[in-house]
Amino acid sequence: MSTPAIETTDLTKTFTSGKTATTAVDRLILTIEPGELVALLGPNGAGKSTTLKMITTLLTPTSGTVRLLGHDVAKRPAEARRHFGFVGQGNSAGSLQHGRDEVVVQALAHGLGRRQAAARADEIIDALGLADFAHRPVERLSGGQRRRFDIAIGLVNRPEVLFLDEPSTGLDPASRAHLQGIIRELHEETGATMVLTTHYLDEADAPSQRVVIIDHGRVIADDTAGALKAGLGDLVTLHFDDVCRAAAAADALRRQHDRVEEAGTSVGVRTDDGPTAGLTILDGLRDAGLQIAGIETSHASLDDVFLHLTGRSLRESDSETGESEDVDPDSPDDNRPDPTEPNPTEEVAA
Amino acid sequence: MSIPTIARHTSIVFSREVRPLLRSPFQMVIAVVQPIMFLALFAPLLPGGATAETLQWFVPGMVAMSCLAAATMTGSNLMLEMATGSHERLLVSPLTRSSLLLGRALKEVVPVIAQALVLVLLTWPFGFAIHPLGILGGVALLALFSVGVGALSFALGLASKHQDWLFWTVQQTLLFPVLLSAGVLLPLDGAPTWLRWLSQANPMTHVVAATRELFAGRYPADTLLAGLAGAVVVLVIGLAVGIRRMQRAD
Ligand SMILES: Nc1ncnc2c1ncn2[C@@H]1O[C@H](COP(=O)(O)OP(=O)(O)OP(=O)(O)O)[C@@H](O)[C@H]1O
Ligand SMILES: [Mg+2]
């Protein structure tokens, strides 16, 4: 078996300030194989950044271990630092510095000679379409341009593992899509292991994308986006004119299906194949003499997966200040009709 | 970690830090306005008035004051970089911890040298005597002292992460007592005993005294040695505290 790119065992970080202790990361276990592209998904305060900081030697774990390409990160931080690139949640390039200079500095820091460092910097700057902004103070660049310089800095040493902490936060949808494309392309071209954190659902939502969902510092799900959603199945939502009919329909449906939820005048049924099941349900209810006012079917979204696992919506907990446990008071259970759109694209407060 | 590696890494950090300064040299030179104002305001107050002799006494003190003020800013520049991600990104690079500190502290010396030259040239027509070798020695002594102060400021910056007020309170509270008790602005000849004791305990007193002798082209061994000792004490304490602080993750 090859050495995993990253292997954490019972990784824990507890911050203590005064009398309060916050366990940001709680016995986290995670193994990532070389060459994988993994998205760590979780609401604000889930412990994503803290996890990355422990893996990248920026924070000392309270307990547990991290191995990066076999190196024990806590015991040999200097060795580990040679092998990875890190794009933090903030901007890597100093605001008064020119973008290109910063890329060169990082290459020099990794031991390249002057000429080699300059050549490598120019190569990556061209590849990221930054040549026109290379000689401008970073404070005068747009958010998207700055972020691309951060990636250039993280990649200039051709790292075996690249960490990206919320690479696209604060960008407009077009720049986000652009950056996402760049990251996927770089992953294919370099074959490097890439670990990115995000709380934008769509960024983790390619079918084969491995998604690790983190909540309260623990891994609560770890699979491909496709498998996570398939596990939850499709949702058939039926609408009725009144609550009585909805209740009667729910009773009838429970004889054939295990996952039936009522919410007011609507009934949701989770099934493997929504459209086909929808037709059968329609026929069955009609035969039973129950008039249906409307029907819709939808595939599960990652938000549904999160909601199913935690009882909270990822997007709701995101727009809250932090780790709010609140759920929309109108729908106390996870049975409210789901949004039909599987890939919500609206901006979320960062 | 080997000395050549630390030297190479320090030069990478130093060049990085110096680059924005060199791009706006005017900004660097304009900083002499403050010492010049002090010169205009204080020199007439000195015993003997604004003569060539008082200039000879006052100018080295002003250069030392610029050094101290600039070096104490090392930590605030660090805090700016900690607020964005650029400090973090240097921390995850293979650069040694001590070179991140040394490179930054050394950088603060650059504007000081520029300012020293400007001050000397500006006061030359008014009778300030120029002794190139002495000035070189004086600036080198102040550079040692500045790197030590810079390292202390760096440690203070690290300790003040997320609480800028702490940095500024300590920096402002210490700056003027250190300057005044070192006899930079006014001579302490008529000072009460306690103040003289304080002054003797202040390493900067000895650094400034030695700088004055050097700038005047005199080389009395005891004063110069005391000055060197003062600078080295600050340098060693600064580096010890700064590097210790830097090597502790979070
Ligand atoms: N230096 C610190 N001191 C004290 N508490 C901290 C510190 N850093 C993080 N925390 C706490 O640890 C928890 C996890 O924070 P972390 O930054 O890892 O979350 P995150 O998943 O990256 O969130 P976001 O999506 O907002 O970036 C939060 O409750 C946070 O307040
Ligand atoms: Mg974060």
Side-chain angles (χ1 to χ4, degrees):
Chain A
M1 216 186 79
S2 68
T3 317
I6 295 149
E7 196 175 15
T8 74
T9 34
D10 289 338
L11 191 61
T12 302
K13 182 74 191 181
T14 305
F15 292 107
T16 31
S17 58
K19 276 180 222 142
T20 54
T22 319
T23 298
V25 176
D26 189 8
R27 288 159 288 160
L28 186 113
I29 298 174
L30 183 63
T31 303
I32 295 174
E33 297 301 330
E36 278 195 275
L37 171 61
V38 180
L40 306 185
L41 183 68
N44 284 135
K48 306 182 293 295
S49 296
T50 307
T51 302
L52 288 197
K53 283 184 183 168
M54 285 192 284
I55 299 176
T56 57
T57 74
L58 286 169
L59 280 178
T60 316
T62 309
S63 62
T65 57
V66 180
R67 282 183 176 278
L68 189 125
L69 301 162
H71 305 286
D72 186 323
V73 162
K75 291 205 182 101
R76 308 190 58 196
E79 182 57 32
R81 285 186 202 118
R82 277 177 223 292
H83 299 282
F84 67 81
F86 175 67
V87 177
Q89 211 167 339
N91 277 122
S92 300
S95 48
L96 297 176
Q97 303 279 348
H98 289 188
R100 179 179 180 276
D101 293 340
E102 287 289 72
V103 183
V104 173
V105 164
Q106 201 74 1
L108 292 172
H110 276 278
L112 269 65
R114 248 176 211 288
R115 194 168 308 158
Q116 208 186 352
R120 188 76 75 73
D122 288 330
E123 183 187 321
I124 183 94
I125 283 171
D126 279 339
L128 293 177
L130 287 168
D132 291 343
F133 322 106
H135 300 280
R136 211 193 273 177
V138 169
E139 63 184 355
R140 278 191 253 147
L141 297 178
S142 78
Q145 291 158 354
R146 257 183 253 180
R147 219 53 186 130
R148 276 184 278 155
F149 268 114
D150 295 342
I151 293 178
I153 290 170
L155 275 175
V156 75
N157 60 318
R158 303 212 175 126
E160 288 140 90
V161 187
L162 180 68
F163 298 95
L164 302 123
D165 198 357
E166 300 194 8
S168 54
T169 296
L171 304 186
D172 63 44
S175 316
R176 274 177 49 203
H178 180 59
L179 200 65
Q180 237 179 300
I182 288 178
I183 291 169
R184 283 182 203 286
E185 258 170 50
L186 286 170
H187 177 245
E188 269 162 41
E189 280 166 24
T190 62
T193 312
M194 293 195 179
V195 183
L196 61 90
T197 74
T198 183
H199 45 183
Y200 291 121
L201 293 156
D202 52 325
E203 288 187 356
D205 209 347
S208 61
Q209 167 78 61
R210 178 171 165 199
V211 180
V212 175
I213 301 182
I214 296 185
D215 191 34
H216 297 307
R218 308 209 59 155
V219 173
I220 57 169
D222 180 356
D223 210 330
T224 63
L228 285 172
K229 292 189 291 184
L232 199 54
D234 293 348
L235 180 70
V236 178
T237 311
L238 301 145
H239 302 289
F240 299 91
D241 287 329
D242 55 62
V243 185
C244 294
R245 264 183 226 167
D251 284 341
L253 287 166
R254 283 204 178 94
R255 274 171 231 134
Q256 275 112 41
H257 302 270
D258 333 319
R259 292 180 291 165
V260 178
E261 305 277 0
E262 292 173 59
T265 58
S266 301
V267 177
V269 183
R270 284 269 173 212
T271 69
D272 291 338
D273 178 359
T276 314
L279 289 175
T280 321
I281 290 172
L282 219 53
D283 287 343
L285 290 181
R286 222 182 266 138
D287 291 348
L290 283 163
Q291 202 191 345
I292 299 165
I295 180 168
E296 50 196 278
T297 70
S298 60
H299 299 306
S301 69
L302 283 177
D303 192 36
D304 297 334
V305 173
F306 189 79
L307 186 64
H308 178 73
L309 290 168
T310 65
R312 285 171 296 140
S313 163
L314 187 55
R315 282 173 300 147
E316 274 169 17
S317 40
D318 241 11
S319 53
E320 298 288 332
T321 46
E323 320 153 357
S324 159
E325 298 278 347
D326 289 12
V327 178
D328 187 351
D330 294 328
S331 49
D333 301 309
D334 58 345
N335 62 351
R336 92 200 122 116
D338 291 296
T340 40
E341 190 189 36
N343 291 340
T345 46
E346 75 248 39
E347 289 280 346
V348 200
Chain B
M1 202 45 74
S2 67
I3 303 278
T5 311
I6 292 179
R8 190 164 52 80
H9 288 178
T10 303
S11 96
I12 294 174
V13 177
F14 174 79
S15 328
R16 170 180 185 268
E17 290 283 323
V18 155
R19 214 169 279 129
L21 265 187
L22 296 184
R23 272 198 202 107
S24 51
F26 183 68
Q27 183 197 329
M28 191 157 64
V29 170
I30 199 78
V32 293
V33 167
Q34 197 193 10
I36 288 174
M37 256 166 42
F38 274 62
L39 203 62
L41 292 172
F42 276 88
L45 295 177
L46 294 172
T51 62
E53 202 182 323
T54 41
L55 275 183
Q56 208 68 43
W57 185 87
F58 202 72
V59 169
M62 285 300 94
V63 174
M65 184 185 84
S66 306
C67 279
L68 187 71
T72 58
M73 296 297 283
T74 308
S76 90
N77 291 334
L78 170 72
M79 286 195 298
L80 284 179
E81 295 235 297
M82 287 198 294
T84 68
S86 51
H87 179 61
E88 230 173 42
R89 149 243 164 181
L90 292 171
L91 284 180
V92 295
S93 81
L95 292 173
T96 51
R97 296 303 195 237
S98 45
S99 66
L100 290 176
L101 177 147
L102 282 171
R104 282 199 164 98
L106 278 171
K107 165 248 184 170
E108 305 298 341
V109 176
V110 172
V112 168
I113 294 173
Q115 287 163 27
L117 294 179
V118 173
L119 263 184
V120 164
L121 289 177
L122 281 178
T123 49
W124 186 25
F126 301 97
F128 184 81
I130 294 186
H131 303 275
L133 199 66
I135 290 177
L136 205 66
V139 168
L141 182 66
L142 287 175
L144 278 185
F145 173 70
S146 297
V147 172
V149 173
L152 285 173
S153 169
F154 188 94
L156 179 59
L158 283 175
S160 314
K161 191 174 182 184
H162 305 310
Q163 31 192 1
D164 288 19
W165 59 268
L166 179 62
F167 179 85
W168 293 114
T169 309
V170 176
Q171 193 254 8
Q172 293 292 320
T173 309
L174 290 180
L175 185 62
F176 278 95
V178 168
L179 276 177
L180 290 171
S181 67
V184 168
L185 293 169
L186 293 168
L188 292 169
D189 300 333
T193 326
W194 66 267
L195 187 51
R196 278 213 239 143
W197 277 101
L198 188 66
S199 174
Q200 285 305 305
N202 181 352
M204 193 178 180
T205 306
H206 307 287
V207 173
V208 172
T211 310
R212 284 199 178 112
E213 295 298 332
L214 287 165
F215 272 50
R218 294 187 298 258
Y219 308 96
D222 53 345
T223 311
L224 296 194
L225 274 178
L228 187 64
V232 169
V233 163
V234 173
L235 183 69
V236 168
I237 294 178
L239 292 183
V241 173
I243 292 176
R244 164 93 47 96
R245 186 86 222 176
M246 188 70 187
Q247 275 164 344
R248 279 201 347 225
D250 61 45

